[in-house]
Amino acid sequence: MARSLVKKSIFDLCLICTSSSLSYMAPIYIQTDITPFRGKEFFIYNSSKVLIYDIFCKKPLNFHLRYLCNSVAPRSLCWEGSSHDILLKNLETYLRNHQVDEAWEAYTDFKKLYGLPDDRLLSRFLTELSYTREPKWLQRACDIILLLPKKKSNSLYFDQLYNLSLSLARAQMPIPVSMILRIMIEKDNIPPTNLLGPVMLHMVKKEIGTYLASNVLIQICDLFQHSGSNRCTIKPDTAIFNLVLDSCTRYNLSFKVQQIIELMSQMGLVGDAYTIITIARIHVVNSQRDELKKFKNCVDQVAGYLGHHYFQFYDNLMSLHFKFNDIDSVSQLIFDMISLTGTQKGPHKPFLIPLGSPNLKKGLKLQVLPHFLPENSPVKIERNEGFVTHKNRKLVFTNKTLAKLIVGYKRAGRISELSKVLCRIQTENGRAEMNINGLSADVIDACIHVGWLETAHDILDDMEQACILPNTDSYASLLTAYYEGKKHREAESLLKQIRKTGITISDDMLKPTVSGKSSDLVTCLIQEMEKGDINCSVYEFNSSIYFFMKAGMIDDALKTYKSMQRMNIHPNVATYMYLVMGYSSLEMYRDITILWGDIKRRFGDGNLMMNVDLYEVLILNFLKGGYFERVMEVVGCMKKDGIYGDKWLYKNEFLKFHKDLYRKLKVSDGRTEAQSKRVEHVKAFRKWADID
């Protein structure tokens, strides 16, 4: 190890020790007028005497320190490095003084020479890194843990791993958080609910964190279902499920939500009021109206006094009715909302909500308590002016709802039925806060404002026949509009009608129509007129495919899919998700590869927007089926779209089914061209997933 520092000088690597412990290894320069020696061991007895053992002669040589030259220039001396004990002592000192930079240097030096420090010191070092707020040190702490040999990693305490995961989560580093949590899961050291919750709360603040948090939650549930662990400790509660469900909904991870909902059922968890609202939001995204309608009965039981919470449920259901162009269901929902009572009933038992077809014997059922509204829930209900809102804890439909209803009935040529709806709403009692007594007048005035004079007149006639006389202003506004439009025949007819009712209209009431500031209803009506007709065909087909796939009726699902193609109705992500999930449940992986061909074509033509849910389910099924070329095609599309892939998930799926596949075989070793390509694709996946 010694190297020449000065020409014609004599060096030896000498072991210099104190009486207590090893001090350091050092090259010593010896003056040339002293007999040369080699391979000596130096032992310090005091400040001036050194005892030298001659390795070759096997006897001690006495030297005084004055014979050791001290005139060598400092630049000529080069200490080879610190000893084992000094490096450890330095590391301990730096950790005690919270000097992270210096501690990292000492740790790096020690690791290069001697490997990892003992468990106690390594634990202190990781703890110190975990308490820093700098992402650089947190990432390094994570890297150390990931590179630890299995025997060494088993010595890590729960507190160390948990504290690091929490620090990483607070620093918004979701990928390393998921890695640490998964190490804990593999060690069966799953944090209890009160500790797992804070980590998840920080993870779900971003889309990637939400995606990873959902996968970690699924992994925990899988361990709970298939192991004999301390189940009461590791079983996540409803609050954590609600947190992840809400975040998945916010980032449109819609099919991840469905997977988690089914897990709630399988684990026997009982959903609460927040669970129902979150499920309602995701059913709107997936256009699953039939699934959401299953919750209506239980929600109706409590919405009379919990309208401030459940207004969003009715808003979502009404949104789906409009999406399916079902104005009759919209009208009925309005009647149901008006008739809700504010009486609280008890005690409450959980409602059982079927997931999928209610006729399936083996179908899952989710337990829910719609009246249970936990305090301090991390899920927040946002109030938005959609189709339904609330006032004084009661449900109120908005002008946006009324405008869409008017446009829907007019396009269908069913104005008389619209009039009946308005009459029924006005005759219902107990809803004065909705100002429904002037509802028909508002609708008539709005129709006049947008130029629908005939429609306004028809509604006015229907109101008279129902013995509900509109106010005088409605007659005057319509008469003025007729005069301005030079529709004298219609004006004369209206005047005769007015005289029959006994209403008197003075000339002062016939004011010109002002085209200035319009009412909110008029604004909403104009917006709806500009949207055009609604094509709900794809949602109806998807509902059928979902039902058939859940029931295992693959042939019927395929017929529906082919009908879509014949009718030139473009499938969306939901269409393909239902088909893939149906095939997967029957292990029909080859059929999924055929479906992938359709997906690629539509994606390439710009007729399909892919998402991480569909990418994930495709990769997992191709891995199960051993279609590695297809796997790498999907991976390539993900990269092109800039979508993050959970490599840990895919890696473990591969190891579960193909652990040693082509591990030692080279591409050139393939017996056929097909086998060589397969080896190539397997190798490419192993490299991408960091398996090797």
Side-chain angles (χ1 to χ4, degrees):
M1 294 174 63
R3 64 176 180 265
S4 178
L5 298 180
V6 182
K7 287 185 179 181
K8 298 184 180 180
S9 61
I10 301 172
F11 268 93
D12 281 305
L13 178 63
C14 302
L15 190 61
I16 301 180
C17 299
T18 64
S19 58
S20 59
S21 64
L22 176 65
S23 292
Y24 47 82
M25 300 283 292
I28 302 298
Y29 175 79
I30 308 299
Q31 291 181 2
T32 55
D33 58 340
I34 301 177
T35 306
F37 59 91
R38 298 177 61 193
K40 309 299 185 294
E41 291 182 329
F42 282 62
F43 292 85
I44 298 177
Y45 286 106
N46 53 50
S47 61
S48 60
K49 286 283 188 180
V50 178
L51 180 61
I52 304 175
Y53 284 91
D54 191 322
I55 295 176
F56 302 109
C57 300
K58 306 296 183 183
K59 62 181 181 179
L61 299 174
N62 287 311
F63 273 84
H64 197 278
L65 285 180
R66 67 174 180 271
Y67 295 118
L68 298 179
C69 177
N70 60 1
S71 61
V72 180
R75 61 181 176 81
S76 301
L77 291 175
C78 179
W79 299 90
E80 288 292 326
S82 298
S83 69
H84 182 280
D85 287 347
I86 284 184
L87 281 172
L88 287 181
K89 185 177 180 181
N90 288 343
L91 180 55
E92 289 182 344
T93 302
Y94 294 141
L95 292 176
R96 187 166 54 251
N97 296 328
H98 308 293
Q99 296 172 274
V100 181
D101 291 270
E102 292 79 0
W104 177 259
E105 291 182 7
Y107 166 80
T108 304
D109 290 341
F110 184 89
K111 187 171 180 293
K112 288 178 180 177
L113 292 173
Y114 306 104
L116 294 168
D118 60 76
D119 295 344
R120 179 190 62 84
L121 193 55
L122 180 62
S123 174
R124 285 182 58 192
F125 182 52
L126 290 172
T127 300
E128 187 66 30
L129 293 177
S130 299
Y131 282 121
T132 64
R133 294 184 178 181
E134 296 184 37
K136 175 180 71 173
W137 298 121
L138 295 174
Q139 183 63 59
R140 287 183 177 180
C142 181
D143 293 340
I144 290 173
I145 291 175
L146 294 175
L147 293 174
L148 286 177
K150 187 173 183 180
K151 183 178 180 181
K152 198 79 171 177
S153 65
N154 290 334
S155 64
L156 295 174
Y157 298 110
F158 169 85
D159 290 346
Q160 294 171 324
L161 295 172
Y162 175 76
N163 289 336
L164 177 57
S165 68
L166 183 58
S167 296
L168 288 164
R170 286 172 174 166
Q172 289 301 297
M173 302 171 66
I175 297 175
V177 174
S178 66
M179 294 177 178
I180 299 300
L181 287 176
R182 280 161 163 166
I183 289 175
M184 298 177 73
I185 294 172
E186 289 175 351
K187 295 176 179 295
D188 208 5
N189 273 338
I190 301 172
T193 296
N194 62 320
L195 297 180
L196 182 62
V199 177
M200 291 289 193
L201 183 63
H202 289 288
M203 285 186 72
V204 299
K205 291 179 180 178
K206 292 185 178 180
E207 184 173 357
I208 291 179
T210 297
Y211 171 61
L212 291 171
S214 63
N215 282 345
V216 169
L217 180 59
I218 291 169
Q219 185 182 353
I220 292 174
C221 294
D222 184 66
L223 179 65
F224 173 83
Q225 291 177 295
H226 299 99
S227 72
S229 304
N230 187 359
R231 297 191 170 192
C232 62
T233 300
I234 69 170
K235 182 178 179 178
D237 62 6
T238 302
I240 289 181
F241 271 87
N242 285 347
L243 177 66
V244 177
L245 284 172
D246 176 70
S247 187
C248 286
T249 304
R250 189 166 62 251
Y251 292 111
N252 285 332
L253 300 175
S254 52
F255 297 98
K256 189 66 68 178
V257 169
Q258 286 192 222
Q259 190 177 1
I260 295 173
I261 292 171
E262 292 180 357
L263 278 176
M264 286 188 70
S265 171
Q266 293 167 0
M267 296 185 66
L269 292 173
V270 180
D272 54 32
Y274 288 104
T275 311
I276 294 172
I277 292 298
T278 305
I279 291 174
R281 288 162 53 200
I282 208 62
H283 281 325
V284 171
V285 175
N286 292 340
S287 303
Q288 294 175 318
R289 183 172 65 150
D290 292 338
E291 294 299 303
L292 184 55
K293 286 164 67 176
K294 296 173 185 176
F295 289 85
K296 184 177 180 297
N297 181 49
C298 71
V299 173
D300 283 344
Q301 307 292 319
V302 298
Y305 61 90
L306 291 177
H308 64 291
H309 176 82
Y310 279 110
F311 75 94
Q312 196 170 65
F313 173 86
Y314 291 92
D315 179 86
N316 290 328
L317 184 54
M318 192 168 289
S319 173
L320 283 172
H321 288 328
F322 279 126
K323 187 178 280 191
F324 280 80
N325 201 21
D326 188 354
I327 53 178
D328 292 327
S329 293
V330 171
S331 301
Q332 185 59 52
L333 185 58
I334 292 175
F335 301 150
D336 293 342
M337 288 166 48
I338 294 174
S339 63
L340 292 173
T341 60
T343 306
Q344 184 171 354
K345 301 177 182 179
H348 298 275
K349 294 182 179 180
F351 287 83
L352 290 176
I353 310 298
L355 304 177
S357 173
N359 299 321
L360 296 177
K361 294 182 179 180
K362 296 182 181 180
L364 296 173
K365 287 182 171 61
L366 177 66
Q367 301 180 75
V368 292
L369 287 172
H371 74 283
F372 183 50
L373 199 62
E375 296 181 359
N376 303 319
S377 172
V379 180
K380 303 301 179 186
I381 303 300
E382 298 178 359
R383 180 168 181 170
N384 60 339
E385 291 297 327
F387 298 112
V388 179
T389 183
H390 65 90
K391 186 176 182 180
N392 299 328
R393 295 198 168 210
K394 299 197 184 249
L395 302 174
V396 181
F397 65 87
T398 64
N399 281 324
K400 182 178 180 180
T401 303
L402 191 55
K404 287 186 75 72
L405 199 63
I406 295 169
V407 172
Y409 276 117
K410 179 171 173 54
R411 285 176 176 164
R414 299 167 58 190
I415 297 302
S416 60
E417 293 179 53
L418 171 62
S419 301
K420 292 177 182 178
V421 170
L422 297 175
C423 289
R424 181 174 173 181
I425 292 174
Q426 289 195 185
T427 54
E428 293 286 344
N429 297 321
R431 298 295 291 174
E433 63 271 23
M434 293 177 62
N435 193 27
I436 58 177
N437 290 328
L439 189 63
S440 59
D442 291 342
V443 172
I444 292 171
D445 290 343
C447 290
I448 294 171
H449 194 99
V450 299
W452 291 351
L453 303 185
E454 184 179 352
T455 301
H457 202 154
D458 289 342
I459 296 174
L460 195 148
D461 290 343
D462 293 335
M463 290 296 171
E464 285 183 5
Q465 292 177 9
C467 299
I468 301 176
L469 291 179
N471 57 40
T472 306
D473 290 339
S474 296
Y475 286 104
S477 297
L478 182 57
L479 189 58
T480 301
Y482 278 147
Y483 283 142
E484 289 180 349
K486 297 181 180 181
K487 296 185 176 182
H488 301 292
R489 187 191 308 172
E490 290 82 355
E492 289 298 323
S493 174
L494 181 59
L495 279 172
K496 292 179 182 179
Q497 186 175 340
I498 292 172
R499 294 189 189 102
K500 288 182 180 180
T501 62
I503 296 175
T504 302
I505 297 180
S506 63
D507 293 337
D508 294 338
M509 299 178 67
L510 299 176
K511 298 178 182 179
T513 306
V514 180
S515 59
K517 184 178 179 181
S518 59
S519 67
D520 182 55
L521 178 57
V522 172
T523 302
C524 293
L525 197 58
I526 293 173
Q527 291 174 350
E528 289 303 319
M529 291 166 58
E530 294 173 348
K531 289 182 179 178
D533 293 333
I534 301 172
N535 187 352
C536 59
S537 300
V538 66
Y539 310 127
E540 294 170 347
F541 277 111
N542 282 351
S543 296
S544 299
I545 291 173
Y546 177 77
F547 172 83
F548 290 138
M549 282 301 188
K550 277 290 184 181
M553 303 166 66
I554 303 298
D555 292 338
D556 294 284
L558 282 178
K559 288 178 182 177
T560 306
Y561 174 61
K562 291 177 180 177
S563 297
M564 291 180 71
Q565 293 176 315
R566 285 195 304 270
M567 298 172 65
N568 200 27
I569 296 172
H570 297 300
N572 56 19
V573 169
T575 312
Y576 292 115
M577 279 295 299
Y578 299 149
L579 290 169
V580 172
M581 292 165 67
Y583 282 136
S584 179
S585 65
L586 300 176
E587 299 183 359
M588 299 172 66
Y589 305 120
R590 184 177 179 277
D591 295 87
I592 298 177
T593 64
I594 298 172
L595 191 65
W596 168 237
D598 290 347
I599 295 173
K600 279 194 301 181
R601 281 191 295 273
R602 293 194 175 275
F603 177 65
D605 295 339
N607 294 323
L608 179 67
M609 294 293 294
M610 298 286 286
N611 64 12
V612 67
D613 283 331
L614 184 54
Y615 279 133
E616 179 183 293
V617 74
L618 285 169
I619 291 178
L620 291 176
N621 279 282
F622 289 152
L623 285 173
K624 290 177 183 178
Y627 295 98
F628 293 100
E629 184 176 359
R630 304 286 87 80
V631 170
M632 295 314 297
E633 286 177 359
V634 179
V635 169
C637 291
M638 288 179 68
K639 290 180 179 179
K640 185 178 179 180
D641 271 1
I643 293 179
Y644 173 79
D646 188 357
K647 292 185 180 182
W648 186 96
L649 176 67
Y650 305 137
K651 172 182 176 180
N652 278 268
E653 194 73 9
F654 175 87
L655 294 176
K656 188 188 301 183
F657 295 99
H658 315 284
K659 184 176 181 180
D660 297 317
L661 181 64
Y662 301 150
R663 188 173 182 179
K664 297 180 180 180
L665 195 65
K666 297 179 181 179
V667 176
S668 57
D669 295 333
R671 296 179 180 178
T672 63
E673 183 180 354
Q675 188 182 39
S676 296
K677 286 186 176 181
R678 179 174 167 81
V679 174
E680 181 182 353
H681 294 129
V682 171
K683 294 286 185 183
F685 175 79
R686 295 179 73 101
K687 181 179 180 181
W688 176 78
D690 300 326
I691 295 176
D692 296 326

